[in-house]
């Protein structure tokens, strides 16, 4: 099965992971429901392969000094 | 207020489980298909109580001039009904299921602690204890909601018989604990061995605050749940949701040990070192058993 994260980016640029999903259909259904919520009109959503996100976050953590998220 | 947090369906309504069940040529996941009569009775009980989540609101509203006092009274009532912890916070969109709309401003969180000693009696005993606790939470939250409605304020109970709210963000917000690597909230006193029930309402209440005591930092270096998971379903890496670290369990790896066999799997919670505070002797004895069969245990065991 695929492993996909849905990420939400707020108007302030802060990224929050909505959850882990196991197919494009499942992930896109969640994104469609979130986009349909007028209260979240200022938020952006994207579907990212889980492995890719983990690798990129590891790289960015290595590039920055240690900090508490 | 509209919710933004997805909830996974249960049983074969969950597409991941449905696909795995289909590949095995089954109609239902073994975990749901074959359950002991006592567990079936507990499940029937919360279904029976589901229609009483909501009800008629007394048209003669009792005016509340002192939110501090009414909050104290509600917490005392919940404790009297059997809740081990009670907390209050303002309801926020991430505490509500995606697609649901809850017309309330406050949420009362109750939890009932499980008897951790059951781990020594095996997986079935652990599940039976979980189901017993869920029923207690159902009864408490239904009763609490009914009492608030009797005061003239809309209130709805959320529990295993039906819920539109999410346990972990609410439990965090009311100060019950922090999210652990195993995906459950960890309380200082009860570890992760407790179950939830909630009431949402429009009644003005006094909010509690989150309380952190180092769980997420501890989990960064403690891999005991991860290394004891028979399916290797607990990840090393975390994501961040609303500023909180989350280690998202891989259900494709978890289900073969939890839903696709008869025996309950609760190991990630049972082996958590935070159980040592509340049940030192039982925890140490249980972890000695784990060590004998080759699993990692904390250094002190």
């Amino acid at each position: 099965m695929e492993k996909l994260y849905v990420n939400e980016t707020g108007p302030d640029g802060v990224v929050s992971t909505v959850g882990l999903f196991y197919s494009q259909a499942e992930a896109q259904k969640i994104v469609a429901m979130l986009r349909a919520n007028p209260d979240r009109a200022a938020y952006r959503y994207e579907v990212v392969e889980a492995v890719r996100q983990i690798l990129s976050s590891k790289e960015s953590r290595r590039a920055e000094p240690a900090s508490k998220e | 207020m509209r919710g933004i947090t997805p909830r996974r369906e249960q049983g074969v309504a969950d597409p991941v489980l449905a696909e795995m069940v289909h590949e095995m040529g089954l109609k239902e996941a073994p975990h749901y298909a074959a359950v002991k009569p006592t567990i079936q009775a507990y499940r029937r009980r919360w279904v029976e109580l589901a229609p009483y989540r909501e009800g008629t609101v007394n048209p003669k509203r009792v005016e509340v001039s002192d939110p501090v006092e009414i909050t104290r009274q509600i917490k005392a009532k919940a404790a009297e009904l059997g809740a081990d912890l009670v907390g209050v916070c303002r309801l926020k969109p991430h505490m509500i299921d995606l697609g649901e709309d809850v017309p309330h401003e406050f949420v009362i969180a109750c939890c009932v602690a499980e008897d951790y000693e059951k781990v020594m009696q095996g997986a079935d005993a652990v599940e039976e204890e979980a189901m017993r606790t869920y029923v207690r939470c159902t009864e408490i939250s239904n009763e609490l909601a009914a009492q608030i409605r009797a005061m003239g304020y809309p209130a709805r109970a959320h529990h295993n018989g039906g819920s539109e709210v999410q346990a972990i963000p609410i439990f965090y917000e009311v100060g019950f604990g922090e999210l652990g690597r195993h995906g459950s909230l960890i309380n200082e006193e009860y570890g992760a061995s407790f179950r939830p029930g909630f009431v949402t309402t429009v009644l003005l209440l006094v909010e509690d605050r989150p309380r952190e005591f180092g769980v997420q930092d501890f989990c960064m270096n403690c891999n005991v749940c991860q290394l004891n998971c028979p399916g290797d379903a607990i990840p090393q890496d975390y994501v961040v949701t609303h500023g909180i670290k989350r280690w998202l369990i891989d259900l494709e790896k978890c289900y073969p040990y939890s839903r696709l066999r008869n025996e309950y799997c609760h190991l990630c919670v049972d082996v958590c070192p935070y159980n040592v505070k509340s049940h030192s002797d039982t925890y140490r004895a249980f972890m000695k058993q784990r060590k004998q069969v080759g699993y990692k245990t904390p250094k002190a065991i």
Side-chain angles (χ1 to χ4, degrees):
Chain A
M1 287 182 198
E2 287 181 285
K3 304 280 187 324
L4 304 163
Y5 290 133
V6 170
N7 289 333
E8 176 187 78
T9 306
D12 53 3
V14 174
V15 178
S16 181
T17 298
V18 174
L20 175 61
F21 303 94
Y22 297 82
S23 69
Q24 277 289 343
E26 197 183 6
Q28 294 296 347
K29 182 182 167 191
I30 297 297
V31 169
M33 289 175 78
L34 287 162
R35 284 183 179 145
N37 182 347
D39 302 336
R40 311 301 282 181
Y43 290 76
R44 288 185 295 109
Y45 295 94
E46 61 172 355
V47 178
V48 181
E49 277 181 50
V51 172
R52 217 177 70 200
Q53 175 166 322
I54 285 165
L55 288 175
S56 78
S57 62
K58 275 182 174 170
E59 277 171 18
S60 61
R61 279 173 201 148
R62 267 200 296 268
E64 290 172 9
S67 66
K68 190 181 171 189
E69 288 197 56
Chain B
M1 186 183 303
R2 291 182 189 218
I4 60 165
T5 302
R7 177 191 290 275
R8 286 212 82 79
E9 300 284 352
Q10 292 290 304
V12 290
D14 173 357
V16 175
L17 190 59
E19 187 175 330
M20 297 173 88
V21 165
H22 176 73
E23 281 173 2
M24 292 171 73
L26 302 171
K27 285 186 178 172
E28 177 58 285
H31 176 74
Y32 297 103
V35 290
K36 288 168 65 180
T38 46
I39 291 172
Q40 284 176 341
Y42 285 137
R43 288 182 181 173
R44 273 199 304 274
R45 180 66 180 145
W46 71 59
V47 171
E48 282 167 10
L49 290 170
Y52 306 102
R53 293 176 58 210
E54 288 195 279
T56 308
V57 178
N58 185 349
K60 292 181 183 171
R61 178 173 283 190
V62 176
E63 289 309 321
V64 174
S65 58
D66 186 351
V68 174
E69 177 55 20
I70 196 67
T71 304
R72 188 196 66 74
Q73 287 178 19
I74 284 171
K75 288 182 173 180
K77 186 67 194 175
E80 182 191 318
L81 291 167
D84 291 300
L85 294 171
V86 192
V88 173
C89 68
R90 197 171 278 275
L91 201 56
K92 295 174 183 168
H94 74 281
M95 299 173 184
I96 302 171
D97 292 351
L98 179 62
E100 298 291 346
D101 197 345
V102 179
H104 299 150
E105 286 85 50
F106 289 91
V107 55
I108 303 158
C110 302
C111 88
V112 175
E114 294 173 314
D115 180 0
Y116 178 76
E117 308 289 329
K118 299 284 183 188
V119 301
M120 301 305 289
Q121 296 168 29
D124 281 352
V126 173
E127 186 180 23
E128 198 167 326
E129 175 61 6
M131 299 300 116
R132 181 194 70 80
T133 314
Y134 273 133
V135 169
R136 197 79 204 95
C137 292
T138 302
E139 292 167 345
I140 292 167
S141 45
N142 265 17
E143 179 60 30
L144 216 52
Q147 296 213 1
I148 294 170
R149 291 194 299 268
M151 292 169 59
Y153 297 86
R156 182 191 298 170
H158 303 261
H159 47 62
N160 265 32
S163 174
E164 291 83 39
V165 298
Q166 301 261 337
I168 287 173
I170 296 172
F171 273 3
Y172 172 76
E173 198 74 16
V174 301
F176 285 1
E178 291 180 72
L179 185 58
R181 181 186 287 270
H182 50 38
S184 295
L185 192 110
I186 294 175
N187 174 266
E188 227 172 348
E189 187 175 354
Y190 300 114
S193 298
F194 55 89
R195 303 283 164 170
F198 302 96
V199 175
T200 55
T201 182
V202 300
L203 176 64
L204 178 64
L205 296 167
V206 175
E207 298 169 65
D208 291 298
R209 295 277 178 272
R211 205 175 67 79
E212 297 182 350
F213 51 98
V215 169
Q216 296 225 311
D217 289 341
F218 182 84
C219 287
M220 288 292 287
N221 298 311
C222 171
N223 299 327
V224 170
C225 62
Q226 185 189 355
L227 295 170
N228 275 265
C229 175
D232 192 24
I234 301 174
Q236 179 65 33
D237 300 295
Y238 63 86
V239 298
V240 177
T241 302
H242 305 299
I244 304 291
K245 290 188 185 83
R246 286 169 80 199
W247 290 267
L248 294 171
I249 307 301
D250 186 339
L251 298 180
E252 194 181 6
K253 293 179 177 176
C254 172
Y255 283 168
Y257 295 90
S258 59
R259 302 288 189 269
L260 293 169
R261 63 175 194 169
N262 292 336
E263 196 179 57
Y264 192 56
C265 184
H266 195 252
L267 276 170
C268 52
V269 168
D270 298 339
V271 301
C272 176
Y274 276 97
N275 290 312
V276 79
K277 189 172 178 182
S278 56
H279 297 88
S280 177
D281 292 345
T282 307
Y283 178 74
R284 288 174 201 281
F286 181 62
M287 292 310 289
K288 273 185 182 160
Q289 285 183 2
R290 298 293 298 162
K291 194 174 187 176
Q292 280 164 8
V293 292
Y295 284 96
K296 188 191 172 186
T297 57
K299 283 177 187 164
I301 302 297

